[in-house]
Amino acid sequence: MKDGAGLDLVVNGEPHHVLAAPGRRLSDVLRNDLGLIGTKVGCDAGDCGACSVLVDGEVVCACLTPVAHVAGQRIETVEALADPGPDDLQRAFLRHGAAQCGICTPGMLMAATALVRRIQTPTRAEVEDALGGVLCRCTGYTKIVDAVLDVAGQGAGPEPIGGEAIGARVERLDGVAKVVGTESYGADAVAEEVLEVRAVRSPFAHARFDFSDLAGWASAHGVQVFTAADIPGENSFSVIPAFADQPALAEGVARMRGEAVALVAGDAEVMDGLDLEEFPVRWEELPAIEDVTEARKAQAALIHADRAENILIAGHVERGAAQEALARSAHVVERAMQSGYVEHAYIEPEAGIAWMEGDVLNIRACTQAPIMDRDDTARVLGLAPEKVRIRPAATGGGFGSKLDVSLQPLIGLVALRTGRAARMVYSRRESMMSTTKRHPSKMMARIGCDDAGRLTGMWFDGDFNTGAYSSWGPTVAVRVPVHASGPYVMPAYRAEARAVHTHGPVSGAFRGFGVPQAAIIQETLFDELAEAVGLDRLAFRLRNAMRDGDVSVCGQHMRGVGIAECLEALQASWDAAMDRVRELNALGGTVRHGIGVASCWYGCGNTALPNPSTIRIGLTPKGQVVLHQGAMDIGQGANTVIAQIAADALGMPVHMLELVDADTGVTPDCGKTSASRQTVVTGKAAMLAGQALRAQVLALTNMGDGAGITLGDGALVVSDGARSARIDPATLAVNEHGYVLMAEESYDPPTSALDENGQGTPYAVYGYGAQLAEVAVDTRLGTVRVERITAAHDLGRVINPLLAEGQIEGGIAQGLGLALMEEYVPGRTDNLHDYLIPTIGDMPEIRSILIEKPDPEGPFGAKGLGEHVLIPTAPAILNAIRHACGARIDQLPARPDRVLAAIRKAEGNQ
Ligand code: FES
Ligand code: FES
């Protein structure tokens, strides 16, 4: 409620008189009454720290602070730090790449500000302690801590000159707004006369429902109600149109907990006080299928009538005769493993606003896939795609889940039906209960090798719980068999993965599309094979590592393969860690130390399907060079990396480019930010567009290949040694896009369809990596402390080392969570208190080693990295646990109780 007593606040040194009920949250007053959107809200429950502000110099969670409690006290928000420009701490964050998506950054900065005011040169432990209450899902915290320790450090180095952006530690080009608090996320958008929208959601995993007097209830409360009956188009969507099966609003039956069945829209004052428990819906709870084994039983009810055994789809790759090869093998190991739901837990819950401009529906919301949002929303609302314009907000983390539409069709429906702007901000609980998860898995695998430790064959079978609707289930089912061998030469192979429906949450894309789960069983079995042969575990992997010219399990002739280089790069650390562990364990005691290694490979882009990107670069009549870059930057750095590639291809300094980022109205289609594709696919389009514009410029000026291009006095200046020429854009004709010179280029990776045995060319470019984990296991408590991870990743060509390290550190944090603590239980862990993600205190030391084995297809040799970095972490940790204490973990996460049980089992087997 915004009504209430007058309160006097002092915020950032300015007095404010606000009308506010005394119990209103300080975060709400700061954001909505004072317009200080730099204070973010991730949970409204004191769990995430995104709302941290200073009150009389002390850090408080603004979401838990009643505004009346701080009347008259000195309140400071992130906006105060940047006056007139970023302060030393904010500059340090930029210099170190400490802000990725940026949603946690204001909270981190306020906590760090309080610390450095108290202790000018804090220790690493003091920084970790001071920032311990703020969660970050992107960075793995390393660069944040480094930035705070370096607050008084040297400024940024010189900006790279033309042709030297690639390989430079270029600060994030879109970083300033993130550190000063002006970056605008979905929840930050406001509009006149806006309708606030809330969804009525199913409290049951499976239920029939109907409505009673909707009109009477709406009229009594002064709101409007929308149900499936109001949807003008097809009430079904999916990221893969052929599998569209998810209603925007359910019709008569809810197939999962949290499924939206109706919308209520009204003015903010009305909506704030509305109790949706009183909404006139009658529920009849129905039996729910929660598990894939149960779902596949012959007597199980079908969740979708046309999907026998509740199987959405099965993926299959077969090469050679795996079972026969295994029967002939000197050594064979096998195991079954399972993993649970994993929540993306980005700090920004879904949020956005929709409004009409003429007959075009505009939507500003967080997303990873603007074009897909446009098409799905248009289909649901019965509009032509060009009548929907997606103008993405900054996105506070996605990791795969924001590839699927969430609120876009819902706020779109309200805006379309009412003509008024419609806004929706998911609560943390709503975000966690209704959006996609990592697929739970039940896997079995058998792998063999000969007496020399050479792999002979592998058999893999997995059921992946895809939940109530299809989402990315087909992609997981196809990607897993293609990747389950790991980056090794596997002479005979058979792998099958199925996406199986249950009444669980929808499982979708989450950094790796099922490959991280498959890598866990393959890499842990490799340790057992190495042991059976009597080979060092790193040596075993090196012996079997794929090399240039080898053939993959899909029959693809591989090029630019860098896994051996990654494994070799770990050798010195491996030897040193092994010596250290021996010494520590020789001391005895109940804490046992161990090391483990695991590898990854990952195909960049869609699997055997087209996924083109298009980049436009143009010179304006005023002499600006504009890069239309439609790859969503969700914190991973596309805005910077794509610009670096385009700039070097053009031969112009990167800081001279003007950036126009994703907007379906003004940027060509760069596809979705997923599958580690943007650096490779959009990057290649940027390279081609930059080269094409350069060719035009050189032809116009009759300059040679070595010429450099800069801007000066509204002209393009082209210099080649002693010669120099100018292009005055004001003298040239303007095209329909407003440019006097322009290049637009597309790139679609050359792949081929897979045959019935999964043979073909699923990807044009792969990336590789290997990680070494060092752990300490408390054998009395079952707790695991990861002490250090050394990560070697082959990027082909490192476009930006600063951002690459940030990706590695963030991926490792998520991999550590997958291994040790993250387990989403529907209905029980819908918050960031019960659902644990790694905090700053959980993170190990991380050492990154960047390998450059150029890919012949990638732009300037570059490969993708975003998903690769998570894949080896969990198996490396599990292998280290087993090395430390013999515990073989069969179910993830390796919670203390599971570790203890595995230790007891191992002791029983001795
Ligand atoms: S929003 Fe206040 S702690 Fe999360
Ligand atoms: S940068 Fe911390 S949550 Fe994204």
Side-chain angles (χ1 to χ4, degrees):
M1 297 287 290
K2 291 186 180 167
D3 296 340
L7 290 171
D8 290 315
L9 302 178
V10 181
V11 183
N12 299 336
E14 299 281 329
H16 294 273
H17 187 74
V18 296
L19 273 182
R24 260 180 81 203
R25 300 172 192 269
L26 174 60
S27 51
D28 182 25
V29 173
L30 290 172
R31 289 176 54 80
N32 295 318
D33 295 29
L34 304 185
L36 295 170
I37 60 163
T39 299
K40 302 302 180 190
V41 173
C43 69
D44 259 346
D47 296 324
C48 75
C51 63
S52 297
V53 298
L54 303 187
V55 175
D56 283 347
E58 296 294 322
V59 183
V60 302
C61 283
C63 75
L64 290 187
T65 303
V67 65
H69 284 196
V70 294
Q73 292 179 273
R74 197 163 43 89
I75 301 162
E76 292 171 90
T77 69
V78 71
E79 287 87 351
L81 308 184
D83 189 13
D87 73 1
D88 289 347
L89 201 50
Q90 290 168 316
R91 285 184 202 287
F93 267 53
L94 291 170
R95 203 163 58 243
H96 285 271
Q100 290 191 17
C101 81
I103 196 79
C104 73
T105 305
M108 288 288 183
L109 283 164
M110 297 319 291
T113 296
L115 172 69
V116 298
R117 282 181 187 167
R118 209 163 26 88
I119 307 173
Q120 265 188 349
T121 53
T123 63
R124 182 165 281 269
E126 286 169 333
V127 175
E128 290 179 357
D129 190 42
L131 273 54
V134 188
L135 294 176
C136 175
R137 192 53 158 168
C138 300
T139 64
Y141 304 100
T142 302
K143 299 223 175 296
I144 294 172
V145 177
D146 289 347
V148 180
L149 290 172
D150 185 40
V151 63
Q154 298 292 311
E159 291 174 351
I161 62 170
E164 295 190 2
I166 291 177
R169 297 175 81 84
V170 175
E171 283 179 14
R172 196 175 287 274
L173 298 178
D174 55 5
V176 172
K178 296 181 180 187
V179 300
V180 302
T182 55
E183 185 72 288
S184 174
Y185 298 82
D188 298 331
V190 288
E192 295 291 315
E193 301 288 304
V194 68
L195 289 168
E196 297 290 336
V197 183
R198 289 167 64 191
V200 178
R201 297 184 180 277
S202 172
F204 303 110
H206 189 201
R208 206 171 284 128
F209 66 90
D210 62 10
F211 303 115
S212 51
D213 182 14
L214 291 178
W217 187 85
S219 162
H221 290 85
V223 296
Q224 300 183 61
V225 170
F226 302 86
T227 67
D230 298 297
I231 290 177
E234 285 176 46
N235 187 17
S236 69
F237 65 83
S238 174
V239 288
I240 305 173
F243 293 92
D245 59 4
Q246 184 166 1
L249 293 171
E251 299 182 44
V253 175
R255 296 182 177 85
M256 57 177 267
R257 189 178 277 103
E259 183 161 11
V261 302
L263 300 175
V264 182
D267 294 325
E269 292 73 18
V270 175
M271 295 300 289
D272 280 351
L274 200 65
D275 182 0
L276 288 187
E277 292 293 318
E278 295 170 2
F279 188 81
V281 56
R282 288 184 293 252
W283 299 102
E284 179 194 348
E285 187 175 4
L286 299 170
I289 300 171
E290 292 180 352
D291 173 76
V292 288
T293 308
E294 194 190 335
R296 291 191 58 200
K297 285 181 179 160
Q299 65 273 28
L302 294 185
I303 296 167
H304 297 273
D306 57 344
R307 295 174 183 164
E309 277 187 66
N310 284 311
I311 295 174
L312 168 66
I313 191 171
H316 168 77
V317 172
E318 186 160 6
R319 186 167 184 83
Q323 295 290 28
E324 289 80 347
L326 287 166
R328 289 194 305 271
S329 298
H331 305 278
V332 175
V333 291
E334 67 177 9
R335 72 190 309 189
M337 290 192 79
Q338 55 182 301
S339 64
Y341 286 110
V342 183
E343 156 68 24
H344 300 73
Y346 26 75
I347 305 302
E348 181 209 22
E350 289 72 6
I353 188 166
W355 71 99
M356 299 302 296
E357 281 182 13
D359 63 349
V360 176
L361 172 67
N362 286 259
I363 296 178
R364 178 171 173 76
C366 52
T367 182
Q368 295 179 239
I371 297 283
M372 287 164 53
D373 287 357
R374 180 195 68 184
D375 294 350
D376 262 342
T377 303
R379 185 199 359 236
V380 170
L381 300 182
L383 298 171
E386 60 273 17
K387 296 298 180 190
V388 177
R389 179 174 175 186
I390 303 292
R391 308 165 78 159
T395 295
F399 318 116
S401 187
K402 290 175 182 169
L403 288 164
D404 299 55
V405 294
S406 53
L407 45 69
Q408 291 86 347
L410 307 183
I411 54 177
L413 174 65
V414 175
L416 190 67
R417 286 293 192 201
T418 64
R420 287 176 64 180
R423 178 176 179 268
M424 198 167 187
V425 179
Y426 279 11
S427 67
R428 169 58 53 185
R429 177 166 180 264
E430 191 174 25
S431 172
M432 291 180 79
M433 76 192 299
S434 69
T435 62
T436 64
K437 306 283 170 279
R438 180 182 295 287
H439 282 70
S441 63
K442 282 190 171 178
M443 304 174 288
M444 293 187 65
R446 200 174 299 132
I447 310 178
C449 70
D450 63 19
D451 271 329
R454 295 214 178 270
L455 292 165
T456 50
M458 176 173 180
W459 174 89
F460 172 95
D461 188 85
D463 280 322
F464 290 76
N465 181 349
T466 210
Y469 298 107
S470 62
S471 182
W472 293 95
T475 306
V476 167
V478 172
R479 262 203 188 255
V480 166
V482 168
H483 287 88
S485 65
Y488 304 102
V489 176
M490 193 66 75
Y493 180 75
R494 186 186 190 286
E496 182 166 309
R498 292 167 294 276
V500 181
H501 284 299
T502 65
H503 289 107
V506 178
S507 298
F510 189 169
R511 223 167 178 174
F513 288 104
V515 177
Q517 295 95 306
I520 288 166
I521 194 166
Q522 170 258 312
E523 285 288 341
T524 50
L525 279 174
F526 269 33
D527 264 28
E528 295 179 29
L529 266 185
E531 197 173 281
V533 181
L535 259 180
D536 170 83
R537 292 173 289 155
L538 182 61
F540 178 84
R541 287 170 171 84
L542 260 170
R543 182 160 298 181
N544 290 288
M546 199 182 273
R547 308 204 182 233
D548 279 4
D550 283 333
V551 176
S552 76
V553 292
C554 291
Q556 182 174 358
H557 290 267
M558 304 298 290
R559 305 176 300 166
V561 183
I563 185 58
E565 287 81 352
C566 292
L567 290 165
E568 284 161 359
L570 294 181
Q571 187 70 59
S573 302
W574 177 260
D575 294 341
M578 194 65 90
D579 289 345
R580 179 171 160 269
V581 160
R582 278 197 204 100
E583 282 170 24
L584 286 169
N585 286 342
L587 299 175
T590 53
V591 175
R592 309 301 293 170
H593 296 263
I595 66 173
V597 64
S599 303
C600 73
W601 70 325
Y602 196 75
C604 305
N606 287 1
T607 310
L609 288 171
N611 61 140
S613 281
T614 301
I615 286 283
R616 180 187 303 152
I617 311 179
L619 175 67
T620 70
K622 290 187 173 168
Q624 300 152 308
V625 176
V626 180
L627 171 66
H628 291 251
Q629 193 292 101
M632 271 307 297
D633 193 323
I634 57 170
Q636 87 283 26
N639 280 337
T640 307
V641 166
I642 303 302
Q644 287 177 264
I645 293 173
D648 274 13
L650 179 56
M652 197 175 137
V654 65
H655 290 87
M656 287 188 171
L657 291 179
E658 305 272 333
L659 191 68
V660 174
D661 60 12
D663 176 336
T664 61
V666 295
T667 45
D669 184 4
C670 285
K672 60 199 186 301
T673 290
S674 79
S676 303
R677 61 178 292 282
Q678 294 296 17
T679 297
V680 173
V681 183
T682 302
K684 185 82 175 251
M687 185 188 87
L688 296 172
Q691 290 172 339
L693 187 61
R694 178 177 175 79
Q696 293 178 37
V697 170
L698 296 185
L700 267 177
T701 53
N702 198 25
M703 298 293 261
D705 283 347
I709 302 172
T710 57
L711 296 172
D713 296 332
L716 214 52
V717 182
V718 189
S719 309
D720 186 1
R723 288 198 311 139
S724 173
R726 291 167 64 84
I727 297 177
D728 182 355
T731 64
L732 302 175
V734 178
N735 73 7
E736 76 272 27
H737 295 290
Y739 295 117
V740 296
L741 291 177
M742 193 188 93
E744 183 167 306
E745 295 289 331
S746 297
Y747 172 73
D748 193 6
T751 62
S752 71
L754 303 182
D755 69 14
E756 69 280 5
N757 285 319
Q759 301 299 293
T761 304
Y763 312 101
V765 176
Y766 296 76
Y768 304 86
Q771 294 179 7
L772 157 60
E774 300 173 54
V775 307
V777 182
D778 186 321
T779 56
R780 283 172 313 163
L781 302 175
T783 52
V784 177
R785 169 87 201 155
V786 183
E787 299 185 315
R788 183 182 297 131
I789 300 247
T790 308
H793 284 271
D794 170 27
L795 289 77
R797 178 82 181 271
V798 182
I799 306 296
N800 187 323
L802 183 66
L803 301 188
E805 290 161 6
Q807 284 297 293
I808 292 172
E809 291 154 8
I812 286 172
Q814 292 183 355
L816 185 149
L818 170 67
L820 299 181
M821 66 185 76
E822 295 192 38
E823 189 167 34
Y824 176 80
V825 183
R828 284 188 20 215
T829 60
D830 293 328
N831 57 67
L832 292 174
H833 182 73
D834 296 305
Y835 186 83
L836 301 178
I837 65 172
T839 67
I840 207 165
D842 294 311
M843 288 306 295
E845 176 193 351
I846 296 173
R847 296 177 180 169
S848 296
I849 303 171
L850 306 182
I851 306 287
E852 291 187 310
K853 178 95 182 264
D855 187 278
E857 183 66 27
F860 297 103
K863 303 168 181 173
L865 180 72
E867 285 155 295
H868 309 70
V869 290
L870 178 147
I871 296 168
T873 310
I877 291 171
L878 295 193
N879 285 339
I881 293 172
R882 185 161 177 270
H883 182 232
C885 61
R888 181 172 129 156
I889 306 295
D890 292 327
Q891 185 171 2
L892 261 62
R895 297 183 324 220
D897 58 314
R898 289 175 182 156
V899 174
L900 272 184
I903 291 172
R904 302 290 167 257
K905 193 171 170 189
E907 288 169 346
N909 289 340
Q910 281 173 1

